Amino acid sequence: MSNSTEHNDSPEFGERPQEFVPVTVGPLTICLARDEKDIRASQRLRYDVFYREMSARPDDATAREERDFDRYDDICDHLIVLDDSLGQGADAIVGTYRLLRRSVAENSGGFYTADEFDVSRLLKRSNGLLELGRSCIHADYRRGSTMQLLWQGIAQYVFNHDIQYMFGCASIEGTDPDELALPLSYLAYNHAADASICPEALPNRYVDMKRLARDEIDDRSALRSVPPLIKGYLRLGGTIGEGAVVDEQFGTTDVCVVVETQRVTDKYFKHYTRKAGQIDAQSDVAAE
């Protein structure tokens, strides 16, 4: 896209590029996985985080391969963060996010989220849907700058593909909903999705999130109990679907998050989509 092309702040404006432009900030670069080696390295990172650090339980194939993988990996785009000081290959991957557009999902068996939540209201509302999932960052890189870079990559991807809604499962570690009563109840009372788009936990997996009475909750304390990734979605204007789902394999309790891209804050979205439409995005961001 030419430097002379003008953009306003709205993600609906102008022709969208289909090529993802890598962006470098300091030693870190955000880009899409370039080949099978990148995808396998992302899966190994996911294994390290989900199965070695957290409480996920691998099946035989996952344990043998020491990779977190499923059938969706072959149809998704994989956003990756590279530490250029570690080299240029797959071993430099320190962060990842899995992205699945509606147009791809409908030709390939649907969304991963649909295994836990009914997303039919979202499907009726918009064709411009993007499922986010399998987010993880290497322990040595869990700082704001890495997450900001991942969100910058997502913003560019959203701009390129005319996405109106992002959604996906977000996890709270633990499988006893009563032990997670505070964050679940807080999210249900304070951040419920609008009825017109609200995903709902499947009936056979539905867990009521309102486990405490509203007047039992101190919002400030409750927010501290919410995992950082979910708090990040909330800062983007994210809302939470109806009901939670216990995922025994991953040792988590999942909620469904929906983010309407037009409603996210200037700091987290419009700022980055402006740069996503510029050919010199890398130098602009690195100079900030």
Side-chain angles (χ1 to χ4, degrees):
M1 190 171 278
S2 168
N3 283 333
S4 63
T5 302
E6 294 184 356
H7 299 268
N8 71 4
D9 287 346
S10 171
E12 297 97 6
F13 184 87
E15 180 182 355
R16 287 166 176 78
Q18 293 303 303
E19 291 294 327
F20 187 96
V21 180
V23 177
T24 297
V25 179
L28 301 181
T29 295
I30 186 86
C31 63
L32 292 177
R34 300 153 295 190
D35 52 32
E36 184 65 22
K37 289 182 179 179
D38 280 351
I39 294 174
R40 284 180 168 265
S42 297
Q43 293 168 338
R44 287 194 294 272
L45 175 62
R46 284 157 36 183
Y47 184 89
D48 286 344
V49 172
F50 300 148
Y51 293 90
R52 289 197 169 110
E53 289 187 46
M54 300 174 70
S55 53
R57 295 179 293 183
D59 58 24
D60 290 343
T62 301
R64 183 173 59 252
E65 295 283 339
E66 295 188 337
R67 293 183 294 119
D68 170 57
F69 62 92
D70 61 23
R71 69 180 181 87
Y72 294 94
D73 283 321
D74 290 337
I75 62 172
C76 289
D77 285 326
H78 298 260
L79 197 63
I80 56 175
V81 176
L82 303 157
D83 182 347
D84 298 331
S85 69
L86 300 178
Q88 297 300 312
D91 290 341
I93 294 175
V94 299
T96 187
Y97 235 119
R98 195 167 76 174
L99 312 177
L100 180 58
R101 285 173 282 130
R102 177 175 183 168
S103 58
V104 177
E106 288 185 335
N107 291 323
S108 307
F111 289 112
Y112 173 88
T113 302
D115 291 341
E116 297 187 357
F117 293 89
D118 178 354
V119 295
S120 58
R121 291 174 181 145
L122 267 175
L123 294 174
K124 291 176 182 177
R125 185 67 174 264
S126 175
N127 288 323
L129 299 179
L130 176 66
E131 181 183 61
L132 305 177
R134 288 302 202 271
S135 168
C136 66
I137 297 172
H138 188 284
D140 294 342
Y141 294 83
R142 287 176 198 155
R143 48 186 180 265
S145 57
T146 311
M147 197 65 229
Q148 291 278 0
L149 196 56
L150 275 167
W151 276 115
Q152 184 170 338
I154 291 169
Q156 182 183 159
Y157 193 93
V158 162
F159 181 89
N160 288 358
H161 293 286
D162 195 14
I163 302 298
Q164 283 83 50
Y165 292 93
M166 305 181 290
F167 73 98
C169 296
S171 300
I172 305 174
E173 193 162 10
T175 58
D176 185 343
D178 287 331
E179 292 183 359
L180 304 174
L182 186 58
L184 290 175
S185 301
Y186 167 80
L187 292 170
Y189 286 120
N190 292 278
H191 298 283
D194 185 82
S196 64
I197 59 172
C198 185
E200 187 168 352
L202 297 178
N204 62 325
R205 307 191 70 178
Y206 183 99
V207 172
D208 187 2
M209 294 176 64
K210 294 180 179 178
R211 312 193 77 79
L212 299 174
R214 182 68 184 89
D215 59 9
E216 294 180 80
I217 301 170
D218 177 78
D219 286 351
R220 182 173 296 181
S221 297
L223 186 58
R224 286 197 293 268
S225 72
V226 174
L229 180 62
I230 298 179
K231 282 193 277 195
Y233 286 126
L234 299 181
R235 285 193 292 269
L236 289 164
T239 55
I240 306 296
E242 170 70 22
V245 171
V246 173
D247 186 334
E248 296 287 354
Q249 181 192 356
F250 278 86
T252 61
T253 299
D254 298 342
V255 298
C256 191
V257 179
V258 180
V259 180
E260 185 177 359
T261 60
Q262 289 183 337
R263 294 180 58 194
V264 298
T265 66
D266 286 345
K267 178 179 179 181
Y268 284 95
F269 185 79
K270 293 180 180 178
H271 172 72
Y272 292 137
T273 51
R274 285 197 297 268
K275 288 180 169 42
Q278 298 171 3
I279 196 67
D280 56 346
Q282 290 176 315
S283 59
D284 282 355
V285 175
E288 291 186 346

